[in-house]
Amino acid sequence: MVQHGEWFKSSLSQDGGGCVEARFTQEGVEVRDSKNPGGPKLGFTNSEWDAFLGGVALGEFTGA
């Protein structure tokens, strides 16, 4: 189980690849480049993150 505030990668990510990491915060979710952990982060509110996950589940980002 991922702890609140702890950075994590998808279990599907490949070692050494260009992956993103995410962490849950009080405000929502932050995302960063795993190769540049000190670099910029994108922040999303809980409702924005829920909308994104809903779109993924519906296949809205398949590029078709």
Side-chain angles (χ1 to χ4, degrees), residues 22-63:
R23 73 175 171 182
F24 297 106
T25 68
Q26 293 289 9
E27 294 78 29
V29 176
E30 290 184 325
V31 179
R32 70 181 182 186
D33 182 345
S34 64
K35 295 184 308 294
N36 186 14
K41 297 164 186 63
L42 298 174
F44 302 93
T45 65
N46 287 317
S47 60
E48 290 169 334
W49 191 250
D50 289 343
F52 170 70
L53 293 180
V56 170
L58 293 172
E60 294 179 1
F61 307 108
T62 61

